Amino acid sequence: MKSLQVDASEQTLRALYRTYGGELYGFAVNSLGDRGLAEELVQEVFTRVWRNADKFDPDRATFRTWLYGIARNAVIDFDRRRSARPPMAMHETDADPAALNDSIEQSVLRWQVAAALERLTPEHREVVRLAHFQGLTLREVAERTGLPLGTVKSRASYALRGLRLALEEMGVRP
Amino acid sequence: MTSACESCRELIGGYVLDALEPDEREHVRRHIESCDACAREHAELATLPALLDVVDSADTAPLHPPAQLEEAVLDRFARETRQSHAAAAREPGAGAETAAPAGTPPASAEPAQRRRSVRRFLLPAAAALACAVAAFGAARLLTGDDASEQRSAAERPRVYDVALSGVGPLPRAAGEARLYPGDTGTGVHLTVRGLEPRAYDYELWCIRDDGWKVSAGTFRADSSGRADINLTTAAKPSEYDSLSIQARPAGRGSDARGPRVLIGRLRS
């Protein structure tokens, strides 16, 4: 029988997975270009999180920063392991840690913004699509959709508040 | 709030998205200059357009991991944990019987010693991660919000008392559920009154706020509309947010649909 401590820890890990698993997977697919490998990477990262949990110091770094430090190292290890030409691969990997860092932030942010948009209602997302991505004014959005202008105005405001809330819940400070 | 604020709140989205007519834009701009509350709201939303620009369109779907990945992560954790148990058992001072594989009854295990060896390996990690979870708002998935709560929860298994109140077709129904940890799952002692005895069968559900739910079993009411029953569910109460009782037309099996008749929150 599993001990209660294990049970509590398992719940902790599950909670962490549910908070960070999605974005980490998005990052992994982006970094490795392969969904199967990405799944392996996510497993590996959570295993390392668990093994090194006592080294995590919330006073020194946020959990997300710490997590992506681990993820970044895991990507480098995976790249080395799968490379047919290890010396070349090491050279390539060593040459661009800054680029990799940058791509981590970018790819995580892309995933988070896409996930925040996905959480809007279709009506709110439509207003963001037309007003922001297609550059229409709210008056033009109302003409295009046949909705009353007042409805479009309030939807634009609700949509942005919804976006902000969704991003905050993912730990992004807009 | 003044009517100027109300009109500003309506227009603030369009203002931030730069999608207002010139006169409206000017109206909002002036109001924000003189109103702290609306200026704060504007500041909260003003950075969003730049964030939106990191994706190509409003329909860039985020890539979600396959559902089985969560279980794969937890399975691997379980394997690692068993190895830690075995390693703990091999250390001097720990009983050899603690190396027994999971599920094997320890023949002559000394429980206190066994608990110590496990705790030594697991608590620091659990405590550190629990801090991380608490810091990022995922704490609602945990039994306790911080490490000390988690420790006491581990030593003194938590019992949940849930008050159920009637909704929908049975507004006068009421009941209580006590959830307690057991060897084979979570025991549920359920007492309900005010049920409709003949027309319905009932099913108790554990429900998460994100919509995920798991059944805790089915039952019927006696002729006075009461039920006093014990059920067992594999659900861990700490992972769920509320209980509900669903009524289904009697004798129609588990595919029949029916209304929720009682609900109660697992936590305040």
Side-chain angles (χ1 to χ4, degrees):
Chain A
M1 204 174 114
K2 269 193 283 187
S3 79
L4 285 161
Q5 282 88 357
V6 175
D7 211 41
S9 310
E10 186 185 309
Q11 285 174 35
T12 305
L13 202 64
R14 193 187 285 276
L16 288 173
Y17 177 84
R18 290 190 180 156
T19 308
Y20 299 101
E23 62 177 69
L24 187 62
Y25 176 74
F27 157 72
V29 172
N30 224 324
S31 309
L32 299 166
D34 180 293
R35 293 185 188 198
L37 273 178
E39 286 181 42
E40 268 181 55
L41 187 101
V42 171
Q43 289 188 44
E44 176 64 26
V45 168
F46 277 101
T47 304
R48 291 186 191 185
V49 161
W50 172 251
R51 279 188 204 143
N52 296 296
D54 52 344
K55 298 191 189 100
F56 169 62
D57 179 358
D59 294 333
R60 285 184 50 210
T62 67
F63 182 77
R64 179 176 269 116
T65 305
W66 187 68
L67 179 73
Y68 281 101
I70 292 173
R72 181 176 172 278
N73 288 333
V75 166
I76 292 172
D77 293 346
F78 270 52
D79 272 341
R80 282 182 185 160
R81 215 173 61 195
R82 73 172 165 173
S83 170
R85 293 173 296 166
M88 187 66 178
M90 276 172 75
H91 172 74
E92 279 169 4
T93 315
D94 290 344
D96 59 356
L100 183 58
N101 247 344
D102 183 52
S103 80
I104 287 178
E105 279 184 14
Q106 277 300 308
S107 88
V108 170
L109 195 60
R110 253 198 306 279
W111 192 93
Q112 289 166 329
V113 172
L117 278 163
E118 192 184 44
R119 280 167 61 174
L120 295 183
T121 65
E123 293 80 17
H124 289 169
R125 195 160 50 241
E126 174 77 357
V127 173
V128 173
R129 177 188 302 117
L130 295 173
H132 182 76
F133 291 98
Q134 295 187 24
L136 304 188
T137 66
L138 296 190
R139 188 178 300 281
E140 290 165 337
V141 172
E143 283 163 13
R144 173 84 67 93
T145 58
L147 291 165
L149 181 56
T151 303
V152 174
K153 285 174 178 170
S154 56
R155 278 186 188 174
S157 296
Y158 279 115
L160 290 191
R161 290 185 197 116
L163 265 181
R164 182 182 161 90
L165 191 67
L167 287 166
E168 270 179 358
E169 282 177 10
M170 284 183 266
V172 187
R173 306 216 180 281
Chain B
M1 196 195 300
T2 67
S3 65
C5 291
E6 274 174 41
S7 116
C8 180
R9 280 177 66 81
E10 189 189 25
L11 291 173
I12 194 78
Y15 182 77
V16 167
L17 291 171
D18 195 18
L20 296 181
E21 304 304 312
D23 57 324
E24 292 170 323
R25 188 164 60 230
E26 187 58 17
H27 171 77
V28 175
R29 191 186 64 75
R30 282 216 210 118
H31 178 74
I32 287 174
E33 277 178 2
S34 63
C35 172
D36 287 346
C38 290
R40 268 197 304 278
E41 164 134 48
H42 172 253
E44 285 184 352
L45 303 178
T47 53
L48 289 171
L51 276 174
L52 285 172
D53 285 336
V54 305
V55 295
D56 300 324
S57 81
D59 308 296
T60 310
L63 202 53
H64 291 293
Q68 69 271 19
L69 185 56
E70 177 172 333
E71 291 314 316
V73 165
L74 291 169
D75 280 352
R76 191 151 150 185
F77 161 76
R79 283 201 302 277
E80 286 255 325
T81 311
R82 277 201 297 274
Q83 283 161 13
S84 299
H85 284 218
R90 281 193 296 274
E91 286 198 355
E97 64 279 2
T98 56
T104 309
S108 59
E110 203 275 279
Q113 192 167 47
R114 175 173 144 135
R115 273 203 301 277
R116 264 199 307 279
S117 64
V118 171
R119 191 174 302 148
R120 188 167 62 236
F121 272 79
L122 296 179
L123 274 184
L129 290 183
C131 282
V133 171
F136 283 86
R140 64 179 195 85
L141 292 165
L142 288 174
T143 312
D145 280 358
D146 60 28
S148 64
E149 255 187 57
Q150 195 172 58
R151 193 171 301 126
S152 68
E155 279 161 8
R156 179 172 41 77
R158 178 145 178 210
V159 171
Y160 289 75
D161 285 308
V162 183
L164 296 159
S165 46
V167 291
L170 299 177
R172 284 216 281 275
E176 295 85 38
R178 165 161 284 205
L179 280 65
Y180 51 92
D183 287 345
T184 54
T186 302
V188 182
H189 180 211
L190 180 69
T191 52
V192 194
R193 54 207 168 272
L195 296 173
E196 160 59 50
R198 282 168 299 274
Y200 293 120
D201 292 337
Y202 296 93
E203 183 156 18
L204 179 69
W205 294 91
C206 303
I207 298 179
R208 270 198 336 234
D209 284 346
D210 64 10
W212 176 263
K213 62 180 187 175
V214 62
S215 173
T218 56
F219 60 96
R220 281 195 286 272
D222 67 16
S223 58
S224 65
R226 291 170 185 269
D228 185 339
I229 46 160
N230 288 297
L231 301 163
T232 303
T233 171
K236 295 170 185 162
S238 56
E239 292 174 5
Y240 290 84
D241 300 300
S242 56
L243 296 181
S244 89
I245 293 177
Q246 182 190 14
R248 283 198 297 248
R252 297 266 299 278
S254 59
D255 291 337
R257 298 173 73 90
R260 279 185 191 183
V261 290
L262 288 106
I263 54 172
R265 296 291 290 179
L266 264 167
R267 279 175 287 276
S268 59

